[in-house]
Amino acid sequence: MRLRDIEIIIVCVFLLLTIAEFIQVAVQFRLFGPNLLHYRIWQYLVVIVILLNNPKAFTTKSMRIMYLYMAIYFLLAAVGHYVSERYEIVGTSTLSVLPISLGVVILMKEHYFRPEKLQDLRLVIRFAWLAYILACITSLVVIFLYPASVRGTEAGFFREEARSYRGFGLGGYGFFSSLPFLIPILFYQFKHSLQENWRKSVYLAALIGLFLFTVYKGVIVAPFLLAVFALIFSQLGRRRFKANIIVFIILVIVYVLLPNQIIGGAFLSVADVVPNRDMSNKFRDIGTSYISGLDIVEAEEGSTNTVEHRASRIMINIEQFWKNPLIGAGTAGNPHLYWLNLLAQFGLIGAFPLFWLIWVQFGYLRRFSDDFKFYYILSFVSYVALLFIKASGGYHFYLAIFFIVPGSYYLNNSFYPNSPVETDGYTHESPKSARNIA
């Protein structure tokens, strides 16, 4: 067997175990203790096979930023300042504080997003989509068979019992919350399939419905609302990008000018028809907060109103950040507001490499066709927006936004050396030279 074939197998197994995470819970194949199907084992195998096949992937601009990012965290963790939530639990090694999962995803992107790896890229991207589809189906099956597996159902929700449902096929927070990032890309594929193959368009429309329904049944309000907005803006499409910006500005102006009673009343109406108690209560709290108003400074952390309770976390993070803005407090403020907690916990020095790395990854859009750029931006904005009000979802977030979303462009387009764009040490096609080859 060739080394390339071994690499593809390892990467695909890694993607399957990471995205459809229930497999490592349901199947325990242990050798001297550790489960050999745990995704952490396979992430290091991915690093090894990429090192053997393509050492240059470790020297790109994105990876150099990644090294800076890890060096800062390692040094400040080694002196006992940076202590992540997971590090407090493990308590044995400074390696536990390092953003290894993000590093592995960026390394995969640097390795596969090259002209000579186009065939392999398409294979692993398709496999990643299949893993997401599998996880959607198994999650829905578990939710229908075991209503207590999610919060707010008539059956009682017990956190300890809920963990057992993961082995049956139920996705976790990261899985459900990453689905909105993928919906714009599905819509892009759907729109183009209408001109080519009606059977494919029906299949993609079904996938959009599957992803949206799965987010809804996951009973996490913010990702569901984000998925709805992502779908609405995807349907607006892109005849001209400026026109869509104008539509967005008009919608924002209308939203600002509408009386709070109308907006709040709309959420209260939704709360009355949503069958899940937990989701209904959250919609009701949102509506009540719109009508009565909300003072972030005076918000109480112990409030029974979920909006007020979450708003209180803003001041917790801001106050912690101002105590030590350069290197942060070292311990988590409130991780449910990811961007603010990043500054509160790690300060400007710890947050800068991540912001720089994300900016570099977003800059990848210049390699895309004008049409795909619109949907890529929708996905990226969804990612940034969700992390203002929720915690990070780990591998699902990183794989979705930094690997699957940009990689899906090459399911229909190719690299062309006759119109080169030199970036990150590799030569890529100019967006103007891309053509549909599906």
Side-chain angles (χ1 to χ4, degrees), residues 23-30 33 35-37:
I23 295 176
Q24 62 182 303
V25 180
V27 183
Q28 298 287 318
F29 185 61
R30 298 187 177 276
N35 181 12
L36 296 184
L37 292 182

Side-chain angles (χ1 to χ4, degrees), residues 3-32:
L3 185 57
R4 170 189 172 274
D5 298 329
I6 296 174
E7 173 199 306
I8 293 296
I9 292 173
I10 289 175
V11 171
C12 286
V13 171
F14 166 71
L15 289 172
L16 180 63
L17 295 177
T18 306
I19 297 171
E21 52 193 332
F22 68 89
I23 295 176
Q24 62 182 303
V25 180
V27 183
Q28 298 287 318
F29 185 61
R30 298 187 177 276
L31 182 64
F32 304 114

Side-chain angles (χ1 to χ4, degrees), residues 250-264 266 290:
I250 291 174
L251 289 175
V252 171
I253 293 174
V254 171
Y255 171 79
V256 172
L257 294 180
L258 277 176
N260 289 346
Q261 288 79 3
I262 296 179
I263 300 174
Y290 262 108

Side-chain angles (χ1 to χ4, degrees), residues 274-415:
V274 172
N276 183 281
R277 286 200 311 271
D278 190 71
M279 185 171 281
S280 176
N281 289 336
K282 288 181 179 178
F283 277 119
R284 186 169 286 105
D285 289 343
I286 294 173
T288 302
S289 298
Y290 262 108
I291 294 173
S292 61
L294 180 67
D295 188 339
I296 294 177
V297 176
E298 299 296 330
E300 298 179 2
E301 188 176 3
S303 174
T304 56
N305 184 305
T306 55
V307 177
E308 183 175 344
H309 173 70
R310 290 178 181 273
S312 68
R313 299 168 176 171
I314 297 175
M315 292 308 301
I316 291 174
N317 284 312
I318 291 177
E319 290 172 0
Q320 183 166 307
F321 168 71
W322 283 117
K323 290 179 181 178
N324 199 337
L326 286 180
I327 60 175
T331 56
N334 192 295
H336 292 281
L337 307 176
Y338 180 77
W339 298 124
L340 283 178
N341 179 70
L342 180 69
L343 291 170
Q345 183 172 357
F346 301 113
L348 292 172
I349 292 177
F352 170 72
L354 178 58
F355 292 150
W356 186 15
L357 183 65
I358 290 174
W359 177 254
V360 170
Q361 301 309 305
F362 180 70
Y364 200 89
L365 72 88
R366 67 182 180 274
R367 308 175 189 180
F368 300 140
S369 65
D370 290 340
D371 193 29
F372 188 83
K373 284 180 182 177
F374 175 74
Y375 299 94
Y376 177 73
I377 291 173
L378 276 182
S379 294
F380 216 97
V381 169
S382 299
Y383 165 75
V384 173
L386 185 62
L387 289 181
F388 272 109
I389 55 177
K390 300 293 288 185
S392 176
Y395 258 125
H396 286 93
F397 277 39
Y398 299 143
L399 281 171
I401 203 65
F402 297 129
F403 190 71
I404 299 175
V405 166
S408 295
Y409 174 74
Y410 297 106
L411 293 177
N412 305 99
N413 299 275
S414 188
F415 299 96

Side-chain angles (χ1 to χ4, degrees), residues 6 29 45 85 94 102 109 122 140 153 174 178 199 203 205 302 311 319 337 354 385 420 434:
I6 296 174
F29 185 61
L45 292 177
E85 200 169 314
T94 54
L102 176 58
K109 182 177 180 181
R122 287 174 175 164
L140 290 176
T153 53
S178 65
R199 291 185 179 86
Y203 165 72
E319 290 172 0
L337 307 176
L354 178 58

